[in-house]
Short mmCIF file of all heavy atoms in Angstrom, two decimals:
data_model
loop_
_atom_site.label_atom_id
_atom_site.label_comp_id
_atom_site.label_asym_id
_atom_site.label_seq_id
_atom_site.Cartn_x
_atom_site.Cartn_y
_atom_site.Cartn_z
N THR A 91 -12.40 43.22 7.97
CA THR A 91 -12.00 44.53 8.41
C THR A 91 -13.18 45.48 8.55
O THR A 91 -14.22 45.00 8.20
CB THR A 91 -11.02 45.10 7.34
OG1 THR A 91 -11.78 45.19 6.10
CG2 THR A 91 -9.84 44.31 7.08
N TYR A 92 -13.00 46.64 9.02
CA TYR A 92 -14.18 47.46 9.21
C TYR A 92 -14.91 47.72 7.90
O TYR A 92 -16.13 47.86 7.85
CB TYR A 92 -13.78 48.90 9.76
CG TYR A 92 -13.45 48.77 11.27
CD1 TYR A 92 -12.09 48.88 11.67
CD2 TYR A 92 -14.47 48.45 12.21
CE1 TYR A 92 -11.76 48.67 13.02
CE2 TYR A 92 -14.11 48.24 13.55
CZ TYR A 92 -12.80 48.41 13.95
OH TYR A 92 -12.50 48.19 15.29
N SER A 93 -14.19 47.73 6.77
CA SER A 93 -14.83 47.89 5.53
C SER A 93 -15.66 46.70 5.08
O SER A 93 -16.44 46.79 4.13
CB SER A 93 -13.77 48.23 4.47
OG SER A 93 -13.04 47.02 4.23
N GLY A 94 -15.55 45.54 5.76
CA GLY A 94 -16.19 44.35 5.33
C GLY A 94 -15.28 43.54 4.46
O GLY A 94 -15.61 42.41 4.18
N ASP A 95 -14.18 44.06 3.96
CA ASP A 95 -13.22 43.26 3.27
C ASP A 95 -12.55 42.20 4.22
O ASP A 95 -12.53 42.44 5.37
CB ASP A 95 -12.08 44.17 2.63
CG ASP A 95 -12.75 45.05 1.58
OD1 ASP A 95 -13.30 44.61 0.61
OD2 ASP A 95 -12.67 46.35 1.73
N ALA A 96 -12.09 41.18 3.64
CA ALA A 96 -11.39 40.26 4.50
C ALA A 96 -9.90 40.62 4.77
O ALA A 96 -9.25 41.19 3.99
CB ALA A 96 -11.36 38.85 3.74
N ASP A 97 -9.44 40.45 6.00
CA ASP A 97 -8.12 40.79 6.42
C ASP A 97 -7.22 39.61 6.04
O ASP A 97 -7.29 38.54 6.67
CB ASP A 97 -8.15 41.06 7.91
CG ASP A 97 -6.60 41.14 8.43
OD1 ASP A 97 -5.70 41.12 7.70
OD2 ASP A 97 -6.55 41.45 9.61
N LEU A 98 -6.39 39.79 5.08
CA LEU A 98 -5.55 38.71 4.58
C LEU A 98 -4.14 38.71 5.09
O LEU A 98 -3.25 38.01 4.65
CB LEU A 98 -5.54 38.78 3.01
CG LEU A 98 -6.82 38.42 2.38
CD1 LEU A 98 -6.74 38.62 0.84
CD2 LEU A 98 -7.36 37.03 2.72
N SER A 99 -3.82 39.49 6.09
CA SER A 99 -2.55 39.68 6.63
C SER A 99 -1.87 38.41 7.13
O SER A 99 -0.73 38.12 6.92
CB SER A 99 -2.43 40.75 7.77
OG SER A 99 -3.35 40.39 8.76
N ARG A 100 -2.79 37.57 7.71
CA ARG A 100 -2.17 36.26 8.25
C ARG A 100 -1.86 35.38 7.03
O ARG A 100 -0.82 34.59 7.12
CB ARG A 100 -3.09 35.61 9.21
CG ARG A 100 -3.45 36.43 10.45
CD ARG A 100 -4.75 35.93 11.10
NE ARG A 100 -5.02 36.73 12.30
CZ ARG A 100 -5.74 37.96 12.23
NH1 ARG A 100 -6.07 38.28 11.02
NH2 ARG A 100 -6.06 38.54 13.32
N VAL A 101 -2.68 35.39 6.06
CA VAL A 101 -2.38 34.55 4.84
C VAL A 101 -1.08 35.05 4.17
O VAL A 101 -0.22 34.21 3.90
CB VAL A 101 -3.60 34.62 3.87
CG1 VAL A 101 -3.24 34.02 2.47
CG2 VAL A 101 -4.76 34.01 4.44
N GLU A 102 -0.98 36.33 4.10
CA GLU A 102 0.29 36.89 3.42
C GLU A 102 1.51 36.43 4.20
O GLU A 102 2.59 36.13 3.66
CB GLU A 102 0.26 38.37 3.33
CG GLU A 102 -0.88 38.80 2.39
CD GLU A 102 -0.63 38.40 0.91
OE1 GLU A 102 0.58 38.11 0.57
OE2 GLU A 102 -1.60 38.38 0.06
N ARG A 103 1.42 36.39 5.49
CA ARG A 103 2.61 36.03 6.28
C ARG A 103 3.01 34.58 6.01
O ARG A 103 4.14 34.24 5.93
CB ARG A 103 2.39 36.28 7.83
CG ARG A 103 2.70 37.64 8.41
CD ARG A 103 2.87 37.57 9.78
NE ARG A 103 1.72 37.24 10.64
CZ ARG A 103 0.73 38.19 10.93
NH1 ARG A 103 0.87 39.41 10.42
NH2 ARG A 103 -0.29 37.82 11.58
N VAL A 104 1.99 33.72 5.92
CA VAL A 104 2.27 32.34 5.59
C VAL A 104 2.96 32.20 4.21
O VAL A 104 4.00 31.55 4.04
CB VAL A 104 0.99 31.46 5.62
CG1 VAL A 104 1.27 30.10 5.16
CG2 VAL A 104 0.41 31.42 7.03
N ILE A 105 2.33 32.98 3.25
CA ILE A 105 2.95 32.87 1.90
C ILE A 105 4.39 33.34 1.82
O ILE A 105 5.28 32.73 1.23
CB ILE A 105 2.08 33.87 0.93
CG1 ILE A 105 0.60 33.33 0.92
CG2 ILE A 105 2.68 33.89 -0.54
CD1 ILE A 105 0.43 31.90 0.28
N GLU A 106 4.67 34.45 2.60
CA GLU A 106 6.03 34.89 2.72
C GLU A 106 6.92 33.85 3.21
O GLU A 106 8.04 33.59 2.63
CB GLU A 106 6.08 36.16 3.67
CG GLU A 106 5.46 37.39 3.09
CD GLU A 106 5.94 37.76 1.65
OE1 GLU A 106 7.19 37.57 1.40
OE2 GLU A 106 5.10 38.02 0.80
N GLU A 107 6.55 33.03 4.21
CA GLU A 107 7.40 32.02 4.77
C GLU A 107 7.60 30.87 3.75
O GLU A 107 8.61 30.20 3.93
CB GLU A 107 6.72 31.41 6.00
CG GLU A 107 6.63 32.46 7.17
CD GLU A 107 6.03 31.83 8.46
OE1 GLU A 107 6.84 31.21 9.29
OE2 GLU A 107 4.83 31.78 8.55
N LEU A 108 6.85 30.74 2.69
CA LEU A 108 7.00 29.77 1.72
C LEU A 108 7.73 30.30 0.49
O LEU A 108 8.13 29.44 -0.37
CB LEU A 108 5.72 29.13 1.29
CG LEU A 108 5.31 27.83 2.06
CD1 LEU A 108 4.62 28.26 3.28
CD2 LEU A 108 4.35 27.04 1.18
N ALA A 109 7.76 31.54 0.38
CA ALA A 109 8.16 32.27 -0.85
C ALA A 109 9.50 31.59 -1.30
O ALA A 109 10.39 31.22 -0.57
CB ALA A 109 8.31 33.64 -0.61
N GLY A 110 9.47 31.26 -2.66
CA GLY A 110 10.78 30.71 -3.26
C GLY A 110 10.76 29.23 -3.27
O GLY A 110 11.45 28.60 -4.02
N SER A 111 9.85 28.56 -2.57
CA SER A 111 9.86 27.06 -2.61
C SER A 111 9.10 26.73 -3.83
O SER A 111 8.08 27.29 -4.25
CB SER A 111 9.07 26.51 -1.42
OG SER A 111 8.82 25.20 -1.70
N THR A 112 9.57 25.72 -4.55
CA THR A 112 8.91 25.16 -5.71
C THR A 112 8.40 23.81 -5.60
O THR A 112 7.52 23.30 -6.21
CB THR A 112 9.88 25.14 -6.92
OG1 THR A 112 11.11 24.28 -6.44
CG2 THR A 112 10.44 26.47 -7.40
#
Side-chain angles (χ1 to χ4, degrees):
T91 59
Y92 286 109
S93 67
D95 296 298
D97 170 359
L98 294 178
S99 58
R100 297 164 185 80
V101 168
E102 291 298 339
R103 270 204 294 279
V104 172
I105 300 295
E106 287 312 317
E107 292 182 89
L108 264 83
S111 163
T112 52

